[in-house]
Amino acid sequence: MKKSDFHYPLPPELIAQEPLAQRSASRLLLVPPAGAGAFEDRHVNGLPDLLQPGDLLVFNDTRVIPARLFGHKESGGRVEILIERVLSESQARAQLRASKPPRPGSLIDLDAGGRAEVLERDGGFYLLRFELPEALEPWLLHAGRMPLPPYIQRAPGQDDAERYQTVFARQAGAVAAPTAGLHFDEPLLEALRARGVEFGHVTLHVGAGTFLPMRVDDVHAHRMHSEWLNVGAELVARIRRTREAGGRVIAVGTTVVRALESAMRTDAAGEAELHPFSGETRIFIFPGYRIRSVDALLTNFHLPESTLLMLVSAFAGKERVLEAYAHAVAQRYRFFSYGDAMLLFPAVRR
């Protein structure tokens, strides 16, 4: 299996550069299993009509921190810093963009004040130590800039501080938004409650590694970056009650799938069951992997040859997913973080 198996043509003008005025006004492509019906062009605000009382929507409640910084090296060369993870009050793992990669021991004077020392390099990331008037994380809240994805070709504006954040974001630590959740606003949540749909939350702090391209062509040779997650006991109990009552568990975003699958445990009889789990995950889901934790997936459209597109293909079938993407391109859907969404059902009943 090669990453090129997951390529699709995408006109650049379909990459959404701005959010819509209303979150839930985004389009929604309904993708039934192959042979179970045709694609349907809908809107996210019509989601209550597609769900049933007793269904459970699971959201990622991570909150994006302003993780992008700018500065210059002692030589004067400009440096862009994207914090991948805050490690302590003074250290962070980060991606750096500069004309020449800085060496360990190099100092970066920050535009917002203070400076950072490069301690070491680890693949595509750097370990930095910051000299600041306060701890790094609270300092970022007023000194950092919102880390919009690299395919958004503009500087972040004031609106992005709100719109690149879900309305239920609570746990600070992500440097990229769980974008499927961006479509939900209070009127839609209220309509879903009135329909009898229940809500649950996981936390998975999306790292900057989500934007790194796969550097090997052999899918099996790829190694995922590590991300921190928490699947709590309350959610595990709610999912069990939902399933026992005949309801469906619907993941809002690929990060929810990755969190729940990381919390699955197989017993001696070979039966998989969800358990509370808090810690790191490097789980890589691609076709051949059986996703057992969810019954439907609401997600945005993902980059060609990306690990997220591979996860969606594992859930709904690669051919079916690529057919859906071709339909979305033909119908001029908006792609990626500020784009439209799709609701998929599995190729095989869980």
Side-chain angles (χ1 to χ4, degrees), residues 29-190:
L29 178 58
L30 179 63
V31 183
F39 302 132
E40 295 183 29
D41 300 306
R42 294 173 173 257
H43 286 85
V44 173
N45 54 22
L47 186 60
D49 297 331
L50 299 173
L51 303 185
Q52 303 165 2
D55 283 347
L56 175 66
L57 281 173
V58 183
F59 302 103
N60 184 0
D61 66 3
T62 189
R63 186 170 186 83
V64 182
I65 59 175
R68 180 166 275 123
L69 300 167
F70 296 88
H72 60 273
K73 295 183 288 186
E74 294 173 291
S75 62
R78 295 293 292 170
V79 181
E80 178 182 341
I81 301 172
L82 178 59
I83 302 294
E84 199 274 339
R85 184 181 302 191
V86 175
L87 302 174
S88 69
E89 291 189 351
S90 62
Q91 292 191 11
R93 192 168 179 251
Q95 295 180 24
L96 299 184
R97 182 181 296 177
S99 57
K100 292 183 179 179
R103 296 178 178 179
S106 301
L107 297 176
I108 301 170
D109 291 312
L110 304 171
D111 292 355
R115 64 181 183 178
E117 179 185 1
V118 178
L119 298 181
E120 62 182 58
R121 183 173 184 176
D122 179 16
F125 296 95
Y126 293 80
L127 178 62
L128 304 180
R129 180 171 58 218
F130 289 81
E131 298 177 9
L132 304 168
E134 59 181 314
L136 175 57
E137 189 164 318
W139 180 83
L140 284 171
L141 296 179
H142 61 80
R145 299 178 67 179
M146 191 59 72
L148 293 182
Y151 45 74
I152 294 181
Q153 301 295 311
R154 61 175 177 82
Q158 290 185 344
D159 290 347
D160 294 301
E162 174 197 357
R163 293 304 305 273
Y164 196 60
Q165 202 82 263
T166 65
V167 298
F168 40 79
R170 295 182 295 195
Q171 309 295 334
V175 299
T179 55
L182 297 179
H183 300 288
F184 290 80
D185 51 26
E186 289 301 334
L188 176 56
L189 293 173
E190 185 55 39

Side-chain angles (χ1 to χ4, degrees), residues 201-214:
H201 297 87
V202 301
T203 302
L204 186 144
H205 291 324
V206 189
T210 192
F211 299 123
L212 289 176
M214 186 180 289

Side-chain angles (χ1 to χ4, degrees), residues 6 209-210 212-214 219 222-225 254 258 283-287 302-313:
F6 299 87
T210 192
L212 289 176
M214 186 180 289
V219 171
H222 178 66
R223 295 294 178 266
M224 290 288 287
H225 59 287
T254 56
R258 295 187 70 239
I283 191 169
F284 180 24
I285 297 174
F286 55 90
H302 303 292
L303 277 70
E305 302 184 6
S306 65
T307 60
L308 301 183
L309 178 56
M310 294 173 193
L311 183 154
V312 175
S313 298

Side-chain angles (χ1 to χ4, degrees), residues 202-204 229 231 254-264 277:
V202 301
T203 302
L204 186 144
L229 68 94
V231 175
T254 56
T255 61
V256 171
V257 177
R258 295 187 70 239
L260 293 179
E261 289 297 314
S262 297
M264 296 290 283
F277 173 69

